[in-house]
């Protein structure tokens, strides 16, 4: 049946409606078929009545699958039928054009067909039968994803599903590659199943985000991950499984850290208390690691380093090399923000060594990227690009959306620094699109700043100001002080260069306040240097001396000698002396 030109009814593209809500609406409607044109409804009814009884029942049950397509194995789980009988019924639906098979053993409805099947299912199948079928399907996806995750990410600390959640229909996987491919192919169906469980099936909602935790990070589906964890928490509290609750609190904190760091810290505090009561040192280390990450995102660098030091000690005590490597990663970032670059480099090199020892490619992706950032900070752009490209080579094989977008951002910055603006902007635009598609606000703010810098350096001030302003707004929305002060400095520099000296002074002072409150000395030095330059442009030599000398002092404390000498030369050119 080919009906591309017909109306698809109110039920099409209702992402906010879960499966059971839709079934309830259909059940309560006086005549659900009123949603279709008469000709469409008549055609569907005719085709449906021509099917055999078993094929009609299969048609109805397939409507209960909320994903975009369904495999033969998932259909067996949904219906409970044996493979031979199911294939016979599927062939009948295919021959009647009630079902498509775009890829061998993967089946899907046309949108109109799906809506009609929902209606017939709600009218014909009792609620108990519908719910039993959906439960079988959710068990299938949860069990299969659990098995795949254990092979794809063998170092993870995973929770048992429990016999009441396991499915006898779920496939076994031979190795990590097979598991990884299955997770990628079933991504849309897994997300659909997880969201259905979040809406209507608490016993499955409790574990879906845990099972999919690594995949959700790779896919960059941050908003969906947050939604799934929000549904899991009350279900776990009702179940009373403290170990599962603590583990899920840690995972939820990681999802929230860059966007809702106060809530993330609350999660880690509760998780740490639970793990301590359970006498679980590995769990305590994980909670402290995420506490450090959340504190760092909130601008509390000293508190972050304190929590991370405790986490590192615990990881080393229990011999968890993977946890040690991840802790070194966050410590390196915290030290970098604090301007302690030599210590940061030491942490990143140690991290890289551990992940190479473990042959952990995803860890190497992050470590190589971090090494590139350190060399970029030193102005060694070719060395930075070398590390970024090594990281990218691995990320293309094992990384996810976020890693690839970050590398696009960093390579874009290198291209801009070496005069390749067109190539830089292409990388940065690709990164921006990826971060926005994944609702990654932190990544979005970072790349907007890089784009603003590229536009500023090529004299496109209006576009630069727009991108810095957008970055500041995004950073403020997630309360990220580090990216916000970077964006404010960008805005102020454009205002100064455009002759808006009063506005520039105001924004530089705002950036200085944010950087000092959050403990970002490099940001403080840059804001002070900007204030000195603006004061000179205003012929306020005393103000220029005041801010310039402070900038020089901070730069020298950071061992940023080139920047200190730049400010010194600026003051000397006006007959002023810097300390």
């Amino acid at each position: 049946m080919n009906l591309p030109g017909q109306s698809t009814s109110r039920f099409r593209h209702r992402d906010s409606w879960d499966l059971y809500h839709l079934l309830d609406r259909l059940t309560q409607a006086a005549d659900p078929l009123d949603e279709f044109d008469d000709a469409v409804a008549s055609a569907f009814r005719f085709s449906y009545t021509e099917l055999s009884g078993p094929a009609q029942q299969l048609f109805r049950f397939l409507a209960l699958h909320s994903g975009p397509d369904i495999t033969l194995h998932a259909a067996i789980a949904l219906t409970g039928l044996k493979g031979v009988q199911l294939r016979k019924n599927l062939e009948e639906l295919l021959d009647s054009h009630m079902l498509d098979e775009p890829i061998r053993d993967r089946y899907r409805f046309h949108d109109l067909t799906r809506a009609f099947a929902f209606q017939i299912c709600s009218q014909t199948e009792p609620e108990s039968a519908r719910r039993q079928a959906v439960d079988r399907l959710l068990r299938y996806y949860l069990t299969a994803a659990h098995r795949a995750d254990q092979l794809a990410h063998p170092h993870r600390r995973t929770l048992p599903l429990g016999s009441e959640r396991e499915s006898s229909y779920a496939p076994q996987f031979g190795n990590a590659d097979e598991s990884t491919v299955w997770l990628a192919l079933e991504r849309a169906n897994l997300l659909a199943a997880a969201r259905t469980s979040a809406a209507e099936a608490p016993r499955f909602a409790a574990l879906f985000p845990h099972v999919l935790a690594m995949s959700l990070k790779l896919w960059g589906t941050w908003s969906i991950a947050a939604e799934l964890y929000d549904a899991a928490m009350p279900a776990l509290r009702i179940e009373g499984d403290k170990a599962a609750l603590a583990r899920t609190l840690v995972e939820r904190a990681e999802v929230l850290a860059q966007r809702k760091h106060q809530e993330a810290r609350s999660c880690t505090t509760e998780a740490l208390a639970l793990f301590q009561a359970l006498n679980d040192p590995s769990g305590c280390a994980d909670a402290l690691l995420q506490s450090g990450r959340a504190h760092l995102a909130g601008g509390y660098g000293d508190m972050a380093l304190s929590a991370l030091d405790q986490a590192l000690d615990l990881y080393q005590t229990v011999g968890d090399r993977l946890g040690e490597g991840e802790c070194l990663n966050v410590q390196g970032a915290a030290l970098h923000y604090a301007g302690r670059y030599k210590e940061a480099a030491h942490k990143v090199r140690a991290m890289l060594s551990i992940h190479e020892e473990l042959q952990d490619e995803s860890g190497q992706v992050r470590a190589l990227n971090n090494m590139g950032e350190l060399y970029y900070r030193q102005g060694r752009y070719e060395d930075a690009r070398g590390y970024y490209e090594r990281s990218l080579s691995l990320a293309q094989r094992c990384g996810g959306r976020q890693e690839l977008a970050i590398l696009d951002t960093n390579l874009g910055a290198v291209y801009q620094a070496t005069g390749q603006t067109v190539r830089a902007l292409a990388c940065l635009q690709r990164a921006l699109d990826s971060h926005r598609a994944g609702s990654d606000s932190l990544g979005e703010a970072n790349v907007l700043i890089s784009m603003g810098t590229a536009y500023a350096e090529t004299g496109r001030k209006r576009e630069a100001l727009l991108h810095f302003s957008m970055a500041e707004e995004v950073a403020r929305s997630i309360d990220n002080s580090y990216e916000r002060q970077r964006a404010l400095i960008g805005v102020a520099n454009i205002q100064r260069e455009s002759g808006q000296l009063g506005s520039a002074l105001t924004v530089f002072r705002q950036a200085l306040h944010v950087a000092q409150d959050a403990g970002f000395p490099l940001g403080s030095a840059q804001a002070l240097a900007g204030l000195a330059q603006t004061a000179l442009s205003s012929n306020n030599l005393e103000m220029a001396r005041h801010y310039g000398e402070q900038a020089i002092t901070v730069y020298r404390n950071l061992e940023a000698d080139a920047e200190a000498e730049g400010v010194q030369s600026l003051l000397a050119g006006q007959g002023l002396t810097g300390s």
Side-chain angles (χ1 to χ4, degrees), residues 150-162:
Q150 287 183 310
L151 285 173
H153 308 288
H155 299 292
R156 273 196 73 203
R157 280 187 270 278
T158 58
L159 298 168
L161 295 185

Side-chain angles (χ1 to χ4, degrees), residues 112-123:
L112 286 173
T113 316
R114 178 187 291 274
F116 176 77
F118 266 127
Q119 296 176 5
I120 296 299
C121 183
S122 67
Q123 292 174 342

Side-chain angles (χ1 to χ4, degrees), residues 202-273:
R203 66 193 180 110
F204 300 115
L207 284 182
F208 254 116
H210 167 73
V211 167
L212 294 178
M214 293 301 295
S215 295
L216 291 167
K217 284 200 290 186
L218 287 172
W219 298 336
T221 49
W222 298 105
S223 58
I224 295 176
E227 169 193 328
L228 297 180
Y229 279 109
D230 286 347
M233 299 312 301
L236 287 166
R237 293 188 192 283
I238 291 172
E239 288 186 3
D241 186 337
K242 292 183 179 180
L245 176 60
R247 175 60 47 202
T248 306
L249 282 164
V250 167
E251 293 169 356
R252 183 169 184 257
E254 184 173 7
V255 170
L256 295 174
Q258 301 295 347
R259 298 156 190 81
K260 299 180 179 179
H261 46 79
Q262 290 182 343
E263 193 172 347
R265 294 200 301 272
S266 177
C267 286
T268 62
T269 300
E270 183 180 358
L272 181 60

Side-chain angles (χ1 to χ4, degrees), residues 226-519:
E227 169 193 328
L228 297 180
Y229 279 109
D230 286 347
M233 299 312 301
L236 287 166
R237 293 188 192 283
I238 291 172
E239 288 186 3
D241 186 337
K242 292 183 179 180
L245 176 60
R247 175 60 47 202
T248 306
L249 282 164
V250 167
E251 293 169 356
R252 183 169 184 257
E254 184 173 7
V255 170
L256 295 174
Q258 301 295 347
R259 298 156 190 81
K260 299 180 179 179
H261 46 79
Q262 290 182 343
E263 193 172 347
R265 294 200 301 272
S266 177
C267 286
T268 62
T269 300
E270 183 180 358
L272 181 60
L274 288 168
F275 280 128
Q276 288 171 336
L278 293 167
N279 194 28
D280 182 348
S282 295
C284 290
D286 293 340
L288 287 164
L289 169 62
Q290 296 308 326
S291 176
R293 194 189 300 273
H295 277 99
L296 183 61
Y300 303 102
D302 290 342
M303 296 179 71
L305 286 169
S306 175
L308 293 167
D309 285 342
Q310 295 176 65
L312 186 61
D313 287 343
L314 285 172
Y315 282 131
Q316 291 173 338
T317 298
V318 300
D320 184 348
R321 296 287 280 166
L322 196 69
E324 186 179 346
E326 188 56 33
C327 193
L328 289 166
N329 176 35
V330 186
Q331 283 183 316
L335 292 166
H336 179 80
Y337 290 165
R340 296 158 63 179
Y341 301 118
K342 289 183 178 179
E343 293 173 82
H346 174 74
K347 297 289 186 181
V348 173
R349 290 190 184 96
M351 171 196 177
L352 178 59
S353 177
I354 288 174
H355 288 300
E356 287 177 338
E357 169 198 322
L358 297 174
Q359 298 183 341
D360 175 35
E361 291 189 342
S362 63
Q364 291 177 53
V365 168
R366 295 191 298 276
L368 289 166
N369 174 71
N370 293 351
M371 286 297 298
E373 289 197 49
L374 291 172
Y375 281 116
Y376 178 85
R377 173 69 186 80
Q378 297 169 19
R380 296 169 60 179
Y381 301 125
E382 289 305 314
D383 290 330
R385 186 173 69 175
Y387 277 102
Y388 289 148
E389 288 177 347
R390 285 174 60 190
S391 180
L392 179 62
S393 178
L394 288 174
Q396 288 171 335
R397 184 163 68 244
C398 69
R401 170 189 283 167
Q402 186 181 43
E403 287 87 356
L404 291 169
I406 288 171
L407 284 162
D408 263 333
T409 302
N410 291 341
L411 281 166
V414 167
Y415 293 139
Q416 178 58 32
T418 53
Q420 303 175 68
T421 300
V422 173
R423 195 173 183 184
L425 288 172
C427 283
L428 295 172
Q429 186 61 56
R430 189 163 58 240
L432 181 61
D433 292 343
S434 180
H435 285 307
R436 284 176 169 170
S439 301
D440 183 356
S441 299
L442 177 63
E444 181 182 356
N446 184 33
V447 73
L448 284 168
I449 291 169
S450 294
M451 294 181 80
T453 301
Y455 285 125
E457 290 177 352
T458 52
R460 297 161 68 175
K461 294 179 182 178
R462 182 176 298 178
E463 290 162 290
L465 183 60
L466 173 63
H467 284 78
F468 285 132
S469 298
M470 288 192 295
E472 194 275 334
E473 183 177 348
V474 172
R476 186 158 34 86
S477 74
I478 58 173
D479 195 21
N480 188 288
S481 300
Y482 180 73
E483 300 298 347
R484 187 173 177 223
Q485 55 90 22
R486 291 179 63 215
L488 286 168
I489 288 171
V491 169
N493 276 323
I494 296 298
Q495 291 173 332
R496 177 181 56 79
E497 292 169 6
S498 301
Q500 302 173 42
L501 302 182
S503 297
L505 285 172
T506 299
V507 178
F508 274 128
R509 287 179 179 129
Q510 190 178 2
L512 178 62
H513 177 73
V514 172
Q516 289 176 334
D517 280 354

Side-chain angles (χ1 to χ4, degrees), residues 22 47 52 72 84 179 267 292 312-313 352 398 443 495 524 570:
L22 181 53
S47 296
S52 66
L72 180 66
V84 174
S179 299
C267 286
L312 186 61
D313 287 343
L352 178 59
C398 69
Q495 291 173 332
S524 297
L570 183 71

Side-chain angles (χ1 to χ4, degrees), residues 107-227:
Y107 306 93
R108 71 182 182 193
F109 279 129
H110 185 280
D111 286 351
L112 286 173
T113 316
R114 178 187 291 274
F116 176 77
F118 266 127
Q119 296 176 5
I120 296 299
C121 183
S122 67
Q123 292 174 342
T124 306
E125 298 293 340
E127 181 182 357
S128 60
R130 299 197 305 265
R131 291 190 180 275
Q132 287 171 11
V134 172
D135 282 357
R136 286 194 301 270
L137 186 68
L138 296 179
R139 280 201 301 272
Y140 166 84
Y141 279 121
L142 184 65
T143 304
H146 180 65
R147 292 172 180 171
D149 178 71
Q150 287 183 310
L151 285 173
H153 308 288
H155 299 292
R156 273 196 73 203
R157 280 187 270 278
T158 58
L159 298 168
L161 295 185
S163 58
E164 73 280 3
R165 296 187 182 97
E166 291 183 346
S167 169
S168 59
Y169 298 103
Q172 298 284 354
F173 302 99
N175 53 49
D177 288 342
E178 185 181 343
S179 299
T180 300
V181 169
W182 185 86
L183 287 165
L185 289 174
E186 292 296 321
R187 169 181 171 176
N189 289 323
L190 287 167
L191 291 176
R195 298 181 88 175
T196 295
S197 73
E200 293 293 336
R203 66 193 180 110
F204 300 115
L207 284 182
F208 254 116
H210 167 73
V211 167
L212 294 178
M214 293 301 295
S215 295
L216 291 167
K217 284 200 290 186
L218 287 172
W219 298 336
T221 49
W222 298 105
S223 58
I224 295 176
E227 169 193 328

